[in-house]
Amino acid sequence: MGILKLTVNGAEHHIDAEHTTPLLIVLRDHLHLTGAKYGCGEGQCGACTVLLSGKQVRSCITPAGEVAGRPVETIEGLSQGATLHRIQQAFIEASAFQCGFCTPGMIMATAGLLRENAHPSGEEIRSALDGNICRCGTYSRIVKAVAKAAGGAERV
Ligand code: FES
Ligand code: FES
């Protein structure tokens, strides 16, 4: 064990954990940030997606010891108090979920996409979210929500 220094949603934390402990476990079990979900645990479903230095990563296969010094963002950091982030609002308005298990990962993947490409085409949205699995099959509404968040439903 050792002390890992992590910056999550702008706050610095000192965590007593192994260097190899998955970031997802540190977020959920040590910091009680349970928005990122444990789906496959193998980097295949995207339920655990968070942003690392602004880019989406699979936190289930990211060793916590490798993220020191780089900002981690989770779904809990998106809203401003009671005001939802525009991506969260767009997912609600488009009814882009059923059970909601995949939703935090989808939203964080979207946040990463829109930072790199503020106005993605429908094809670019589908490509960026290609690795995120929705077992409820709400893909078409998710794509609509992402386009809505980007300010252009007509682009889907
Ligand atoms: Fe991390 Fe599936 S739980 S990719
Ligand atoms: Fe259920 Fe996507 S809404 S897995």
Side-chain angles (χ1 to χ4, degrees), residues 36-88:
K37 298 290 184 273
Y38 187 101
C40 64
E42 297 179 349
Q44 299 295 319
C45 76
C48 64
T49 302
V50 299
L51 299 185
L52 177 60
S53 299
K55 296 189 182 308
Q56 62 162 306
V57 294
R58 304 297 194 236
S59 62
C60 69
I61 55 169
T62 302
E66 289 185 8
V67 310
R70 293 191 282 164
V72 175
E73 294 170 73
T74 72
I75 188 85
E76 289 88 350
L78 276 192
S79 60
Q80 296 289 319
T83 304
L84 293 178
H85 188 280
R86 66 190 162 99
I87 300 173
Q88 295 171 307

Side-chain angles (χ1 to χ4, degrees), residues 10-127:
E12 199 169 280
H13 299 276
H14 294 84
I15 311 288
D16 191 5
E18 299 283 355
H19 181 97
T20 54
T21 303
L23 175 59
L24 178 63
I25 302 303
V26 169
L27 292 173
R28 291 182 58 86
D29 294 353
H30 293 254
L31 298 178
H32 309 297
L33 296 171
T34 56
K37 298 290 184 273
Y38 187 101
C40 64
E42 297 179 349
Q44 299 295 319
C45 76
C48 64
T49 302
V50 299
L51 299 185
L52 177 60
S53 299
K55 296 189 182 308
Q56 62 162 306
V57 294
R58 304 297 194 236
S59 62
C60 69
I61 55 169
T62 302
E66 289 185 8
V67 310
R70 293 191 282 164
V72 175
E73 294 170 73
T74 72
I75 188 85
E76 289 88 350
L78 276 192
S79 60
Q80 296 289 319
T83 304
L84 293 178
H85 188 280
R86 66 190 162 99
I87 300 173
Q88 295 171 307
Q89 194 60 43
F91 269 65
I92 291 171
E93 290 171 9
S95 298
F97 45 79
Q98 286 185 32
C99 76
F101 192 84
C102 70
T103 310
M106 291 286 185
I107 287 176
M108 295 313 290
T110 300
L113 166 65
L114 296 187
R115 284 191 199 171
E116 288 183 357
N117 180 359
H119 301 291
S121 66
E123 196 48 49
E124 288 169 329
I125 293 169
R126 281 185 279 276
S127 173

